[in-house]
Amino acid sequence: MIAALALAVGVVLGVVLHPTVPVGLQPYLPIAVVAALDAVFGALRAILDGVFDDKVFVVSFIANVLVAALIVFLGDQLGVGSQLSTGVVVVLGIRIFSNAAAIRRHLFRA
Amino acid sequence: MLVDLMTNAIDQGYLDAAKRRAESAALPPPAVNRSARTTTVMVAAVLALAGTLFATAAVATHRGAAAAKRGRDQLVQQIHQQTANSDQLQQQLSDLQVQVKNARDAALSASGKGDALRTEISQLEVATGTEAVEGPGADVTLDNAKNATNDANSLGTIYDRDIQAVVDALFADGAEAIAVNGQRLTTRTAIREAGDAILVDYRPLAPPYVIAAIGPPDLADTFLASQTGTLYQNWRQVYGLGFTVEGSGRLTLPSAADQVVHYAQPLESP
């Protein structure tokens, strides 16, 4: 309950405050979003599996976002930024999908 | 790796933490669960952060698209503005040319010798295309076939060489002044193609191409009977080209801009 409320508050904050993203960080924003989505879906599945842990969630969220951004940053420096971000999106996308599938199985038993 | 990704999608950390909890459950619980509130607050903070991140990304993407659209609109507006500007300057130029012509005529008509000179200039201007003229003649209209594509090999498309052929044939049949879509042909006018556009006097024209020619009153019939006229009538039937020839009792052709000669110099008169 608190979690859903916090998420909604965050969205409202983002829409209302219009935080400006520095130009240098803009390429990493979409990757950070995908990583955050992955962490959120993972947490949701963990809750349904009954193994959720606050500390693991907080650490995994922050680490996911930072590592994803770092990988893309490294790729940019090496000249393979777009390929690496595709890779990150693919890997995280697969994880999001399989976590979403597990959530679906929990909720609908199907 | 992909299989591992699919089967172990859940973070290993959650499982480890659950195992640890299960082990510690055997022990008596800590007296004060001081960290429970802190961790809840942290989870809430992280989720709020995630929400902000999502919203910011959405807003940034949206704003980027809006900025791109704005830039494009600005360019389009600039093009319109500059086109209008250029049209205005063109208008101003022809106004000034009329003024110059009138002033010259007025100055020349002061004396008998000047009068003769004025008549000569006027005749030369008709021939070179720098004076508006009227007279009988014919309108030849060329247009792309209905099913023509922009393909370079399309047989139903009008090219610069078609206009050149018609203009040449009209001159051969006695035309004295010709304008294509209102662009008067002068002694120095080129009919050529750049990209998909046909340029006459460096101005792009859009189909249909109307070639108005002043000449003998039977110019239309002569042209239709000529080799070029017959050819295009055939092509109209075979390829569906738009091709019509109409005689006209009275045509008015505009003047072209004054021709400035930079390099050519007249021979010393004998």
Side-chain angles (χ1 to χ4, degrees):
Chain A
M1 186 61 216
I2 293 172
L5 213 65
L7 195 63
V9 167
V11 170
V12 169
L13 271 182
V15 170
V16 171
L17 292 182
H18 283 291
T20 36
V21 185
V23 177
L25 287 181
Q26 258 166 15
Y28 310 117
L29 194 59
I31 293 298
V33 166
V34 174
L37 266 179
D38 173 58
V40 169
F41 273 96
L44 213 57
R45 182 192 175 177
I47 290 174
L48 291 171
D49 280 356
V51 293
F52 182 71
D53 186 274
D54 308 342
K55 209 177 101 197
V56 173
F57 170 63
V58 171
V59 172
S60 80
F61 178 92
I62 293 171
N64 252 7
V65 169
L66 288 183
V67 167
L70 188 72
I71 287 175
V72 177
F73 170 76
L74 265 179
D76 273 347
Q77 301 307 308
L78 294 172
V80 289
S82 57
Q83 287 93 326
L84 264 183
S85 45
T86 308
V88 168
V89 168
V90 167
V91 168
L92 292 182
I94 291 174
R95 255 171 67 135
I96 291 172
F97 257 101
S98 42
N99 277 333
I103 293 166
R104 189 201 65 215
R105 280 193 288 274
H106 270 292
L107 292 182
F108 304 114
R109 312 249 170 268
Chain B
M1 191 196 83
L2 282 176
V3 173
D4 179 60
L5 204 61
M6 299 285 270
T7 47
N8 298 323
I10 189 160
D11 208 308
Q12 194 60 41
Y14 288 121
L15 300 177
D16 291 349
K19 208 190 286 172
R20 249 182 288 134
R21 253 204 315 276
E23 283 165 2
S24 62
L27 307 169
V32 186
N33 198 350
R34 58 175 175 77
S35 70
R37 175 165 291 174
T38 329
T39 47
T40 310
V41 169
M42 269 173 79
V43 168
V46 164
L47 277 170
L49 190 69
T52 316
L53 201 61
F54 298 157
T56 308
V59 167
T61 310
H62 193 72
R63 212 183 286 162
K69 187 177 183 308
R70 212 170 30 246
R72 202 166 46 238
D73 286 351
Q74 224 162 29
L75 277 178
V76 169
Q77 199 190 344
Q78 254 177 38
I79 290 172
H80 284 315
Q81 206 177 340
Q82 294 298 336
T83 311
N85 208 351
S86 145
D87 284 351
Q88 199 192 339
L89 286 173
Q90 197 70 41
Q91 183 61 41
Q92 204 179 343
L93 174 68
S94 46
D95 286 354
L96 285 173
Q97 277 175 349
V98 168
Q99 270 182 37
V100 167
K101 211 167 266 184
N102 287 344
R104 188 193 61 200
D105 286 354
L108 283 176
S109 55
S111 67
K113 200 179 163 196
D115 230 16
L117 207 55
R118 194 184 65 179
T119 319
E120 196 188 335
I121 288 174
S122 189
Q123 276 166 0
L124 286 174
E125 277 179 345
V126 169
T128 51
T130 47
E131 185 156 281
V133 286
E134 63 168 16
D139 272 327
V140 180
T141 308
L142 286 172
D143 200 354
N144 296 329
K146 291 269 184 294
N147 55 357
T149 56
N150 267 341
D151 183 9
N153 299 318
S154 171
L155 293 167
T157 311
I158 299 291
Y159 295 107
D160 51 350
R161 54 179 179 271
D162 298 306
I163 293 179
Q164 285 164 3
V166 169
V167 165
D168 285 350
L170 284 169
F171 271 132
D173 291 337
E176 289 167 353
I178 294 182
V180 181
N181 280 17
Q183 291 298 323
R184 179 79 177 273
L185 301 185
T186 70
T187 41
R188 282 175 50 198
T189 306
I191 300 174
R192 50 184 282 266
E193 189 144 349
D196 283 338
I198 293 179
L199 307 182
V200 172
D201 202 12
Y202 302 106
R203 266 157 228 270
L205 305 183
Y209 308 101
V210 180
I211 303 164
I214 291 180
D218 59 349
L219 184 60
D221 298 328
T222 330
F223 175 68
L224 277 175
S226 72
Q227 203 185 355
T228 310
T230 330
L231 195 61
Y232 276 89
Q233 285 174 78
N234 273 338
W235 285 351
R236 175 175 56 191
Q237 281 176 0
V238 178
Y239 302 122
L241 284 183
F243 175 70
T244 52
V245 180
E246 266 179 72
S248 173
R250 210 188 114 166
L251 284 170
T252 309
L253 301 189
S255 67
D258 264 336
Q259 303 289 303
V260 182
V261 181
H262 293 289
Y263 305 108
Q265 292 193 343
L267 287 171
E268 294 299 319
S269 34

